[in-house]
Amino acid sequence: MDTLALLRHLRIQIWDIKMQLWQASFLSFNWWFIAVTVAASYAIWWKLLDKRRVFELLVFGSFVAAARIIFDDWGISSGRWTYVIDLFPVGYSLFLNDLTVVPLAMMLVYQ
């Protein structure tokens, strides 16, 4: 088996394991905690947002989110860390840290 075929086979095995983990944690307390944290973060951000500067803040938040995704992708791909509970079973668990809490908090600080 060549290297690329082995890599593909291992990725399929990882996908199967991630699906089993996600099915086991779906609708658990931790899953609901993450879902509520995401929803509450957006609600608090919208309430405190300076709506006159929405475009500027969204551009800033996009840069923060992109940097977080790159950093997180490096950490997960290199095996430095992993996430046990995922909101969705697709890809990495980006919602809580990379696309919600950190960018929204940084936008509030920036404004």
Side-chain angles (χ1 to χ4, degrees):
M1 181 179 284
D2 68 328
T3 306
L4 291 177
L6 176 62
L7 184 60
R8 184 178 184 282
H9 178 71
L10 291 173
R11 286 183 191 247
I12 290 171
Q13 285 182 336
I14 290 171
W15 171 258
D16 292 339
I17 293 169
K18 279 188 67 82
M19 279 303 295
Q20 289 174 2
L21 285 171
W22 184 78
Q23 289 170 348
S25 66
F26 182 61
L27 299 180
S28 67
F29 174 79
N30 289 336
W31 187 91
W32 279 109
F33 179 76
I34 291 171
V36 168
T37 301
V38 168
S41 296
Y42 278 104
I44 292 168
W45 174 77
W46 184 253
K47 181 78 174 161
L48 299 177
L49 178 69
D50 180 5
K51 303 208 177 32
R52 293 171 289 140
R53 298 175 56 202
V54 126
F55 181 76
E56 176 187 351
L57 293 170
L58 286 175
V59 169
F60 176 76
S62 297
F63 285 125
V64 171
R68 284 284 308 176
I69 288 171
I70 291 168
F71 178 69
D72 212 21
D73 187 40
W74 168 79
I76 292 169
S77 297
S78 63
R80 304 273 192 257
W81 59 80
T82 188
Y83 296 106
V84 179
I85 307 290
D86 292 332
L87 237 123
F88 305 108
V90 180
Y92 300 129
S93 180
L94 298 175
F95 263 103
L96 184 61
N97 291 321
D98 298 334
L99 298 177
T100 302
V101 175
V102 173
L104 295 179
M106 294 302 290
M107 282 188 274
L108 289 177
V109 169
Y110 179 72
Q111 79 176 0

PDB file of all heavy atoms in Angstrom, residues 74-90:
ATOM      1  N   TRP A  74      -3.318  23.888  12.821  1.00  0.00           N
ATOM      2  CA  TRP A  74      -1.957  23.420  13.070  1.00  0.00           C
ATOM      3  C   TRP A  74      -1.906  22.546  14.322  1.00  0.00           C
ATOM      4  O   TRP A  74      -1.305  21.471  14.318  1.00  0.00           O
ATOM      5  CB  TRP A  74      -1.007  24.613  13.227  1.00  0.00           C
ATOM      6  CG  TRP A  74       0.327  24.206  13.760  1.00  0.00           C
ATOM      7  CD1 TRP A  74       1.357  23.638  13.070  1.00  0.00           C
ATOM      8  CD2 TRP A  74       0.750  24.276  15.121  1.00  0.00           C
ATOM      9  NE1 TRP A  74       2.395  23.373  13.911  1.00  0.00           N
ATOM     10  CE2 TRP A  74       2.054  23.748  15.185  1.00  0.00           C
ATOM     11  CE3 TRP A  74       0.163  24.745  16.297  1.00  0.00           C
ATOM     12  CZ2 TRP A  74       2.770  23.681  16.375  1.00  0.00           C
ATOM     13  CZ3 TRP A  74       0.887  24.672  17.471  1.00  0.00           C
ATOM     14  CH2 TRP A  74       2.172  24.153  17.501  1.00  0.00           C
ATOM     15  N   GLY A  75      -2.556  23.006  15.391  1.00  0.00           N
ATOM     16  CA  GLY A  75      -2.508  22.255  16.647  1.00  0.00           C
ATOM     17  C   GLY A  75      -3.183  20.901  16.549  1.00  0.00           C
ATOM     18  O   GLY A  75      -2.671  19.900  17.065  1.00  0.00           O
ATOM     19  N   ILE A  76      -4.317  20.852  15.868  1.00  0.00           N
ATOM     20  CA  ILE A  76      -5.028  19.582  15.730  1.00  0.00           C
ATOM     21  C   ILE A  76      -4.283  18.655  14.778  1.00  0.00           C
ATOM     22  O   ILE A  76      -4.111  17.460  15.064  1.00  0.00           O
ATOM     23  CB  ILE A  76      -6.474  19.829  15.248  1.00  0.00           C
ATOM     24  CG1 ILE A  76      -7.270  20.532  16.341  1.00  0.00           C
ATOM     25  CG2 ILE A  76      -7.150  18.520  14.866  1.00  0.00           C
ATOM     26  CD1 ILE A  76      -8.615  21.050  15.893  1.00  0.00           C
ATOM     27  N   SER A  77      -3.826  19.191  13.640  1.00  0.00           N
ATOM     28  CA  SER A  77      -3.134  18.362  12.645  1.00  0.00           C
ATOM     29  C   SER A  77      -1.822  17.802  13.179  1.00  0.00           C
ATOM     30  O   SER A  77      -1.447  16.681  12.836  1.00  0.00           O
ATOM     31  CB  SER A  77      -2.850  19.181  11.382  1.00  0.00           C
ATOM     32  OG  SER A  77      -4.047  19.586  10.789  1.00  0.00           O
ATOM     33  N   SER A  78      -1.134  18.561  14.013  1.00  0.00           N
ATOM     34  CA  SER A  78       0.143  18.085  14.545  1.00  0.00           C
ATOM     35  C   SER A  78      -0.026  17.261  15.816  1.00  0.00           C
ATOM     36  O   SER A  78       0.957  16.797  16.383  1.00  0.00           O
ATOM     37  CB  SER A  78       1.074  19.275  14.817  1.00  0.00           C
ATOM     38  OG  SER A  78       0.516  20.108  15.820  1.00  0.00           O
ATOM     39  N   GLY A  79      -1.275  17.092  16.258  1.00  0.00           N
ATOM     40  CA  GLY A  79      -1.528  16.256  17.424  1.00  0.00           C
ATOM     41  C   GLY A  79      -1.249  16.937  18.747  1.00  0.00           C
ATOM     42  O   GLY A  79      -1.144  16.287  19.781  1.00  0.00           O
ATOM     43  N   ARG A  80      -1.135  18.257  18.756  1.00  0.00           N
ATOM     44  CA  ARG A  80      -0.877  18.983  20.000  1.00  0.00           C
ATOM     45  C   ARG A  80      -2.096  18.968  20.919  1.00  0.00           C
ATOM     46  O   ARG A  80      -1.961  18.973  22.122  1.00  0.00           O
ATOM     47  CB  ARG A  80      -0.488  20.432  19.709  1.00  0.00           C
ATOM     48  CG  ARG A  80       0.682  20.594  18.786  1.00  0.00           C
ATOM     49  CD  ARG A  80       1.981  20.567  19.569  1.00  0.00           C
ATOM     50  NE  ARG A  80       3.085  20.995  18.738  1.00  0.00           N
ATOM     51  CZ  ARG A  80       3.960  20.169  18.196  1.00  0.00           C
ATOM     52  NH1 ARG A  80       3.848  18.878  18.370  1.00  0.00           N
ATOM     53  NH2 ARG A  80       4.945  20.628  17.469  1.00  0.00           N
ATOM     54  N   TRP A  81      -3.300  19.025  20.329  1.00  0.00           N
ATOM     55  CA  TRP A  81      -4.525  18.962  21.114  1.00  0.00           C
ATOM     56  C   TRP A  81      -5.652  18.416  20.250  1.00  0.00           C
ATOM     57  O   TRP A  81      -5.514  18.287  19.036  1.00  0.00           O
ATOM     58  CB  TRP A  81      -4.911  20.319  21.692  1.00  0.00           C
ATOM     59  CG  TRP A  81      -5.139  21.401  20.687  1.00  0.00           C
ATOM     60  CD1 TRP A  81      -6.249  21.605  19.935  1.00  0.00           C
ATOM     61  CD2 TRP A  81      -4.217  22.423  20.331  1.00  0.00           C
ATOM     62  NE1 TRP A  81      -6.091  22.692  19.125  1.00  0.00           N
ATOM     63  CE2 TRP A  81      -4.844  23.220  19.343  1.00  0.00           C
ATOM     64  CE3 TRP A  81      -2.940  22.761  20.722  1.00  0.00           C
ATOM     65  CZ2 TRP A  81      -4.221  24.320  18.770  1.00  0.00           C
ATOM     66  CZ3 TRP A  81      -2.336  23.855  20.148  1.00  0.00           C
ATOM     67  CH2 TRP A  81      -2.966  24.615  19.200  1.00  0.00           C
ATOM     68  N   THR A  82      -6.752  18.099  20.897  1.00  0.00           N
ATOM     69  CA  THR A  82      -7.948  17.616  20.207  1.00  0.00           C
ATOM     70  C   THR A  82      -9.168  18.078  20.982  1.00  0.00           C
ATOM     71  O   THR A  82      -9.053  18.491  22.135  1.00  0.00           O
ATOM     72  CB  THR A  82      -7.933  16.085  20.059  1.00  0.00           C
ATOM     73  OG1 THR A  82      -9.017  15.696  19.230  1.00  0.00           O
ATOM     74  CG2 THR A  82      -8.044  15.403  21.411  1.00  0.00           C
ATOM     75  N   TYR A  83     -10.299  18.039  20.337  1.00  0.00           N
ATOM     76  CA  TYR A  83     -11.558  18.393  20.988  1.00  0.00           C
ATOM     77  C   TYR A  83     -12.396  17.139  21.131  1.00  0.00           C
ATOM     78  O   TYR A  83     -12.590  16.399  20.171  1.00  0.00           O
ATOM     79  CB  TYR A  83     -12.314  19.453  20.177  1.00  0.00           C
ATOM     80  CG  TYR A  83     -11.576  20.758  20.099  1.00  0.00           C
ATOM     81  CD1 TYR A  83     -10.939  21.156  18.933  1.00  0.00           C
ATOM     82  CD2 TYR A  83     -11.499  21.596  21.201  1.00  0.00           C
ATOM     83  CE1 TYR A  83     -10.254  22.351  18.861  1.00  0.00           C
ATOM     84  CE2 TYR A  83     -10.807  22.796  21.147  1.00  0.00           C
ATOM     85  CZ  TYR A  83     -10.198  23.161  19.969  1.00  0.00           C
ATOM     86  OH  TYR A  83      -9.509  24.338  19.911  1.00  0.00           O
ATOM     87  N   VAL A  84     -12.896  16.910  22.329  1.00  0.00           N
ATOM     88  CA  VAL A  84     -13.653  15.698  22.604  1.00  0.00           C
ATOM     89  C   VAL A  84     -15.097  15.836  22.145  1.00  0.00           C
ATOM     90  O   VAL A  84     -15.661  14.921  21.559  1.00  0.00           O
ATOM     91  CB  VAL A  84     -13.584  15.357  24.114  1.00  0.00           C
ATOM     92  CG1 VAL A  84     -14.374  14.110  24.419  1.00  0.00           C
ATOM     93  CG2 VAL A  84     -12.146  15.202  24.550  1.00  0.00           C
ATOM     94  N   ILE A  85     -15.701  16.982  22.391  1.00  0.00           N
ATOM     95  CA  ILE A  85     -17.101  17.210  22.046  1.00  0.00           C
ATOM     96  C   ILE A  85     -17.178  18.153  20.851  1.00  0.00           C
ATOM     97  O   ILE A  85     -16.614  19.245  20.889  1.00  0.00           O
ATOM     98  CB  ILE A  85     -17.875  17.835  23.232  1.00  0.00           C
ATOM     99  CG1 ILE A  85     -17.702  17.019  24.503  1.00  0.00           C
ATOM    100  CG2 ILE A  85     -19.337  18.028  22.883  1.00  0.00           C
ATOM    101  CD1 ILE A  85     -18.396  15.693  24.501  1.00  0.00           C
ATOM    102  N   ASP A  86     -17.859  17.727  19.801  1.00  0.00           N
ATOM    103  CA  ASP A  86     -18.074  18.557  18.623  1.00  0.00           C
ATOM    104  C   ASP A  86     -19.552  18.878  18.499  1.00  0.00           C
ATOM    105  O   ASP A  86     -20.398  18.017  18.741  1.00  0.00           O
ATOM    106  CB  ASP A  86     -17.631  17.825  17.346  1.00  0.00           C
ATOM    107  CG  ASP A  86     -16.134  17.615  17.274  1.00  0.00           C
ATOM    108  OD1 ASP A  86     -15.404  18.425  17.853  1.00  0.00           O
ATOM    109  OD2 ASP A  86     -15.716  16.643  16.623  1.00  0.00           O
ATOM    110  N   LEU A  87     -19.842  20.111  18.109  1.00  0.00           N
ATOM    111  CA  LEU A  87     -21.237  20.466  17.862  1.00  0.00           C
ATOM    112  C   LEU A  87     -21.769  19.750  16.630  1.00  0.00           C
ATOM    113  O   LEU A  87     -22.887  19.269  16.607  1.00  0.00           O
ATOM    114  CB  LEU A  87     -21.353  21.976  17.657  1.00  0.00           C
ATOM    115  CG  LEU A  87     -22.313  22.582  18.643  1.00  0.00           C
ATOM    116  CD1 LEU A  87     -21.616  23.641  19.425  1.00  0.00           C
ATOM    117  CD2 LEU A  87     -23.493  23.147  17.982  1.00  0.00           C
ATOM    118  N   PHE A  88     -20.939  19.697  15.597  1.00  0.00           N
ATOM    119  CA  PHE A  88     -21.287  19.025  14.352  1.00  0.00           C
ATOM    120  C   PHE A  88     -20.212  17.994  14.050  1.00  0.00           C
ATOM    121  O   PHE A  88     -19.045  18.217  14.350  1.00  0.00           O
ATOM    122  CB  PHE A  88     -21.370  20.030  13.198  1.00  0.00           C
ATOM    123  CG  PHE A  88     -22.308  21.166  13.475  1.00  0.00           C
ATOM    124  CD1 PHE A  88     -21.823  22.434  13.719  1.00  0.00           C
ATOM    125  CD2 PHE A  88     -23.678  20.962  13.521  1.00  0.00           C
ATOM    126  CE1 PHE A  88     -22.673  23.486  13.980  1.00  0.00           C
ATOM    127  CE2 PHE A  88     -24.536  22.005  13.785  1.00  0.00           C
ATOM    128  CZ  PHE A  88     -24.042  23.262  14.016  1.00  0.00           C
ATOM    129  N   PRO A  89     -20.565  16.896  13.418  1.00  0.00           N
ATOM    130  CA  PRO A  89     -19.563  15.848  13.176  1.00  0.00           C
ATOM    131  C   PRO A  89     -18.689  16.098  11.957  1.00  0.00           C
ATOM    132  O   PRO A  89     -17.994  15.212  11.503  1.00  0.00           O
ATOM    133  CB  PRO A  89     -20.430  14.604  12.973  1.00  0.00           C
ATOM    134  CG  PRO A  89     -21.677  15.126  12.364  1.00  0.00           C
ATOM    135  CD  PRO A  89     -21.901  16.464  13.023  1.00  0.00           C
ATOM    136  N   VAL A  90     -18.703  17.294  11.419  1.00  0.00           N
ATOM    137  CA  VAL A  90     -17.966  17.595  10.192  1.00  0.00           C
ATOM    138  C   VAL A  90     -16.697  18.365  10.531  1.00  0.00           C
ATOM    139  O   VAL A  90     -16.759  19.400  11.199  1.00  0.00           O
ATOM    140  CB  VAL A  90     -18.843  18.427   9.229  1.00  0.00           C
ATOM    141  CG1 VAL A  90     -18.091  18.752   7.964  1.00  0.00           C
ATOM    142  CG2 VAL A  90     -20.128  17.690   8.930  1.00  0.00           C
TER     143      VAL A  90
END
